Amino acid sequence: MDTVTREKYEVVIGLEVHAQLKTKSKIFAPDSTEFGNEQNTQISPITLGMPGVLPVLNKSVVDMAILTGLALNCKIPNRCKFDRKQYFYPDLPKGYQISQYDEPICIGGCLDIKGKRIGITRAHLEEDAGKLVHAGADGIAGSNYSLVDLNRAGTPLLEIVSEPDMRSSDEAKAYMEELRNILRYIGVCDGNLEEGSMRCDANISVMLKGSKEFGTRAEIKNVNSFKALQRAIEYEIERQIDLVEEGERVVQETRLWDDNLGETRSMRGKEDAHDYRYFPEPDLMPLEISQEWVERIKETMPELPKAKRERYMSLGLSEYDATVIVEQPELAFFFDEVIKLDANVKTSINFLTGEVAAYLKEEKLSIGETKLTPENLVELVNLIEKGTISNNIGKQIIFTMLKEGTSAASIVEKQGLRQISDEGAIKEIVQEVVNSNPEQVASYKAGKVQLLGFFVGQVMKETKGRANPKTVNELLKEFLD
Ligand code: ADP
Ligand code: MG
């Protein structure tokens, strides 16, 4: 699409995010919510909606929903209620889903992304459906039928609905990332898009710039990565602008993102609320939430990502470093311990977001699964700060520390890695290097000053990386200039 056409339009995006709450048992039944067990082994008569059974609300679901609401600056009304949403689908054995319709547990909040505040309309509780395993999947290749696994049915979900406040796919991504950070920090959700513990429906419309009225939206389902979210939005923007440009209309409908084909396709017309025949769930009392209950939960609120980022920046970290570390809660908690031990924050963070993060990714480990302790990292950082070892040596031995838990000092002693800062000793080596490379010396003197790096490299090679780089540079210049 040409940019002139594209620039005529403004994009409007609102996201509905389903977060699976990390409770041990389901929202209305005692069945386990554990993931990955044998199919259909975690279903009680309640989950199946058998006659005569009654749902009982899981209190920790409510605790988690309140905590999330507070983290998202929502109000928690003192009363909410549950409603039945009726629809037929093979993964929904009861024929209805218990959800919340007109009195949700959280209302009217907001979430800040870089430079912008995104409104949160509401967050409501509901139960998840089961999972359909389609032909060809899960080892039933060639079959032409689908199987139902109801282990997931009844898992608690919190659906967080944003205002249509986002104006680009970048903003939508930033919103999702920050929401995921928050959910992870407060410990209510894994936030794993690929595994489906956090799912997102993106509502997208386009309108002419300056228009006061929003266009008709399409709802995109099945986006299960940040990349897919952005691609789906970009695709949908172009599809809708093309339609409008050709004088056609965008239909309000649910569309499915196909990540392989890179396109959305129509799945079904968008239901309106009345299609679901919502009515109050007769088997559950309205839920009253006292101010005391809310206060009690508020007291358990940990430091949120935004506050953490700001604190790190006030310690001297760049915004980039602060953002990178906060996105990895485990590393951030580790870093908090490092800060308490009074280490140089910049050197520490370089290790954590550099070598350590790379190692964890490569080995598919969390930092808790390595042998590195905050104390050991701080010792390493201090050895560098004092000039006992060079930064480069530090970068080499951190891997041994991660794997074996050895202290930095003992590795340095055992392998003789102490930095050589003694001018006399370095001078001898510099002299040697200069003498044995007459051609390079001549070119250097003729103006090829970038050869300095070559000389530094030679000295480092001779000293196995132990020479103090600053002294090496100074001495080399003295000899060459
Ligand atoms: P439903 O539950 O039927 O999907 P809602 O009214 O709850 O409908 O809205 C769902 C989402 O759609 C919200 O996140 C909202 O911000 C967003 N939305 C509403 N109107 C528009 C629009 N014209 N363009 C883009 N998003 C929209
Ligand atoms: Mg919707």
Side-chain angles (χ1 to χ4, degrees):
M1 173 170 301
D2 62 291
T3 46
V4 182
T5 313
R6 177 70 176 75
E7 287 296 310
K8 282 185 352 201
Y9 291 87
E10 179 140 55
V11 185
V12 174
I13 304 166
L15 298 182
E16 294 165 274
V17 175
H18 287 88
Q20 225 174 55
L21 299 179
K22 281 203 299 194
T23 53
K24 290 204 179 69
S25 58
K26 295 183 179 172
I27 180 169
F28 303 117
D31 334 344
S32 164
T33 54
E34 211 176 272
F35 183 78
N37 293 329
E38 193 189 333
Q39 294 86 345
N40 297 309
T41 53
Q42 294 160 207
I43 38 178
S44 60
I46 301 174
T47 301
L48 295 174
M50 296 302 229
V53 301
L54 288 173
V56 177
L57 179 59
N58 179 342
K59 179 167 171 290
S60 40
V61 167
V62 181
D63 289 342
M64 287 187 186
I66 296 174
L67 187 63
T68 311
L70 293 174
L72 297 174
N73 307 296
C74 291
K75 283 191 280 297
I76 314 294
N78 55 24
R79 184 194 126 110
C80 65
K81 76 171 189 5
F82 291 92
D83 300 275
R84 279 191 189 181
K85 179 178 180 179
Q86 341 281 326
Y87 64 90
F88 176 77
Y89 210 64
D91 61 7
L92 186 75
K94 293 205 296 246
Y96 62 87
Q97 176 191 30
I98 305 182
S99 180
Q100 297 189 300
Y101 181 51
D102 53 350
E103 291 186 62
I105 187 160
C106 309
I107 54 173
C110 65
L111 181 155
D112 290 337
I113 56 174
K114 208 173 167 187
K116 188 164 175 179
R117 175 158 288 183
I118 307 298
I120 292 183
T121 319
R122 55 187 265 151
H124 64 261
L125 285 168
E126 60 189 28
E127 56 182 337
D128 207 348
K131 216 172 92 182
L132 291 181
V133 182
H134 297 297
D138 284 17
I140 48 168
S143 56
N144 58 359
Y145 51 86
S146 295
L147 297 170
V148 191
D149 176 11
L150 292 174
N151 282 356
R152 200 181 66 182
T155 299
L157 297 177
L158 187 67
E159 178 172 343
I160 302 160
V161 183
S162 88
E163 289 287 309
D165 285 348
M166 286 156 271
R167 293 292 174 271
S168 67
S169 61
D170 284 342
E171 285 185 5
K173 178 163 171 270
Y175 170 86
M176 273 295 274
E177 281 173 343
E178 188 64 353
L179 181 56
R180 178 167 82 159
N181 279 340
I182 293 172
L183 297 174
R184 284 181 167 172
Y185 273 97
I186 62 177
V188 302
C189 174
D190 290 339
N192 198 327
L193 274 70
E194 282 80 4
E195 284 172 14
S197 63
M198 185 175 173
R199 308 195 280 270
C200 165
D201 301 342
N203 293 270
I204 301 154
S205 66
V206 297
M207 61 182 179
L208 282 172
K209 270 193 182 145
S211 161
K212 292 226 162 51
E213 211 172 305
F214 289 169
T216 304
R217 72 186 150 113
E219 181 189 48
I220 316 300
K221 286 192 180 288
N222 200 34
V223 279
N224 44 24
S225 70
F226 287 106
K227 199 151 169 235
L229 175 67
Q230 282 200 293
R231 287 177 71 207
I233 291 174
E234 291 302 326
Y235 176 88
E236 196 54 27
I237 292 171
E238 298 215 346
R239 187 188 71 86
Q240 294 187 13
I241 291 179
D242 280 342
L243 279 175
V244 177
E245 284 285 306
E246 278 161 32
E248 289 177 51
R249 301 177 74 172
V250 175
V251 209
Q252 181 166 332
E253 62 180 352
T254 300
R255 300 178 68 86
L256 213 59
W257 169 249
D258 186 323
D259 208 43
N260 293 323
L261 296 180
E263 61 184 36
T264 65
R265 58 169 180 273
S266 183
M267 180 180 160
R268 55 169 190 246
K270 172 82 189 138
E271 300 85 350
D272 285 317
H274 63 253
D275 294 323
Y276 289 118
R277 287 159 174 78
Y278 277 102
F279 67 78
E281 168 59 56
D283 290 340
L284 288 163
M285 297 282 282
L287 176 64
E288 305 222 343
I289 299 175
S290 67
Q291 197 51 43
E292 292 77 61
W293 190 350
V294 175
E295 289 301 323
R296 220 161 45 235
I297 299 292
K298 202 182 258 171
E299 276 162 25
T300 68
M301 182 73 70
E303 183 178 39
L304 293 175
K306 187 173 170 224
K308 222 182 211 355
R309 258 194 314 269
E310 284 165 2
R311 180 164 60 85
Y312 289 169
M313 282 161 72
S314 77
L315 292 174
L317 290 195
S318 66
E319 184 173 8
Y320 175 80
D321 281 341
T323 306
V324 169
I325 187 111
V326 167
E327 265 165 24
Q328 306 170 75
E330 261 221 320
L331 279 187
F333 295 139
F334 190 95
F335 183 52
D336 282 338
E337 296 304 311
V338 168
I339 293 171
K340 280 188 206 149
L341 298 169
D342 219 13
N344 180 298
V345 288
K346 185 63 194 158
T347 313
S348 312
I349 204 79
N350 284 346
F351 275 112
L352 286 175
T353 59
E355 287 72 26
V356 174
Y359 175 82
L360 299 179
K361 197 167 171 201
E362 175 75 23
E363 302 290 322
K364 296 197 172 55
L365 291 174
S366 68
I367 191 151
E369 291 167 323
T370 74
K371 295 221 167 106
L372 185 70
T373 63
E375 290 75 15
N376 280 354
L377 179 62
V378 169
E379 187 189 55
L380 174 67
V381 168
N382 288 341
L383 286 175
I384 294 169
E385 290 302 307
K386 278 191 298 196
T388 311
I389 57 168
S390 68
N391 204 32
N392 273 333
I393 295 286
K395 285 183 180 177
Q396 291 166 31
I397 68 176
I398 184 86
F399 295 103
T400 313
M401 297 170 65
L402 282 158
K403 275 183 228 148
E404 290 161 22
T406 334
S407 92
S410 73
I411 301 176
V412 169
E413 287 318 315
K414 214 186 280 165
Q415 303 185 13
L417 299 174
R418 266 177 186 279
Q419 178 157 268
I420 309 169
S421 294
D422 171 41
E423 263 204 42
I426 300 178
K427 212 171 214 164
E428 272 178 36
I429 299 160
V430 167
Q431 178 77 67
E432 236 178 79
V433 167
V434 169
N435 287 346
S436 49
N437 294 285
E439 270 171 47
Q440 280 83 351
V441 173
S443 316
Y444 181 89
K445 292 202 162 153
K448 212 170 163 198
V449 287
Q450 62 270 38
L451 272 174
L452 186 66
F454 162 78
F455 291 109
V456 174
Q458 291 300 308
V459 176
M460 286 302 179
K461 207 166 136 194
E462 287 299 313
T463 59
K464 300 201 174 62
R466 290 158 56 219
N468 181 322
K470 197 161 152 263
T471 318
V472 172
N473 267 287
E474 282 165 10
L475 287 174
L476 270 172
K477 280 198 186 139
E478 223 170 80
F479 271 83
L480 294 168
D481 288 345

